[in-house]
Amino acid sequence: MDAAQQEATARARELQRNWYGEPLGALFRKLIDDLGLNQARLAAVLGLSAPMLSQLMSGQRAKIGNPAVVQRVQLLQELASQVADGSVSAAEATERMEEIKKSQGGSVLSNTTQTTGSSGAPTVKRVVREIQSLLRSVAAAGDIIDAADSLAPSHPELAEFLRVYGAGRTADAVAHYQSHQS
């Protein structure tokens, strides 16, 4: 790999870190490990071709162009955390991956079977991730920060919202969400 290719790959990984919280190579490797998948199976569940998955993982491509695929990534991250904490068995995870594979993305919080916790209400983390996904499907993190900076003098609360949900980490957005509930 020459210097220009290395620079392009580093830039793509930095963009991925801004858009998705970490480079997609690391994110996808965690999903592969946590859910017991291989790259071909992960690509199939996400609705990507194997070469596209490989390009995203290696930094040859920076962005997932399809918002439905971004939502499937987030659903798999949620599933992986449920497997890790023991609330979902390996067999249940396999079934859920088939549901995720068939999901078309769609509107925010449209599919209650995928967005609800055991209480029947949407989980805070799920709601936050839906908001993040929606914002990030319309603009890159840098553009959202620029918009927030423009709004800050006249609308500081709205600017904070854009920064936290559009460019921040999920944990920070969850804390923000919880602090603004009555």
Side-chain angles (χ1 to χ4, degrees), residues 78 82 109 111-127 177 181:
E78 181 80 13
Q82 291 169 342
L109 299 177
N111 187 334
T112 55
T113 61
Q114 292 177 355
T115 59
T116 57
S118 57
S119 68
T123 62
V124 170
K125 192 172 188 179
R126 167 65 37 228
V127 171
Y177 183 94
Q181 296 303 298

Side-chain angles (χ1 to χ4, degrees), residues 21 39 49 87-88 93 123 135 149 166:
Q39 281 190 22
S49 68
S87 63
V88 172
T123 62
L135 279 169
D149 290 345

Side-chain angles (χ1 to χ4, degrees), residues 29-167:
R29 276 188 284 283
K30 281 187 215 166
L31 290 175
I32 286 167
D33 292 344
D34 293 349
L35 296 171
L37 304 172
N38 59 35
Q39 281 190 22
R41 176 81 173 117
L42 178 60
V45 171
L46 292 176
L48 293 172
S49 68
M52 175 64 77
L53 180 74
S54 178
Q55 289 172 359
L56 288 164
M57 288 181 76
S58 67
Q60 292 174 308
R61 283 188 176 262
K63 189 170 189 171
I64 299 170
N66 183 337
V69 173
V70 175
Q71 187 173 26
R72 287 186 205 113
V73 169
Q74 292 171 335
L75 291 169
L76 284 177
Q77 287 178 298
E78 181 80 13
L79 180 60
S81 70
Q82 291 169 342
V83 168
D85 72 18
S87 63
V88 172
S89 71
E92 289 170 320
T94 300
E95 287 177 28
R96 296 265 297 280
M97 280 188 273
E98 282 306 309
E99 292 170 18
I100 290 169
K101 180 179 177 180
K102 294 173 189 168
S103 72
Q104 298 301 307
S107 62
V108 175
L109 299 177
S110 62
N111 187 334
T112 55
T113 61
Q114 292 177 355
T115 59
T116 57
S118 57
S119 68
T123 62
V124 170
K125 192 172 188 179
R126 167 65 37 228
V127 171
V128 164
R129 282 192 170 157
E130 293 287 350
I131 294 167
Q132 289 176 317
S133 178
L134 183 62
L135 279 169
R136 292 169 185 180
S137 74
V138 297
D143 294 335
I144 292 170
I145 290 170
D146 289 345
D149 290 345
S150 297
L151 284 171
S154 57
H155 302 287
E157 297 85 5
L158 189 53
E160 178 189 15
F161 176 87
L162 286 175
R163 281 190 195 98
V164 170
Y165 293 89

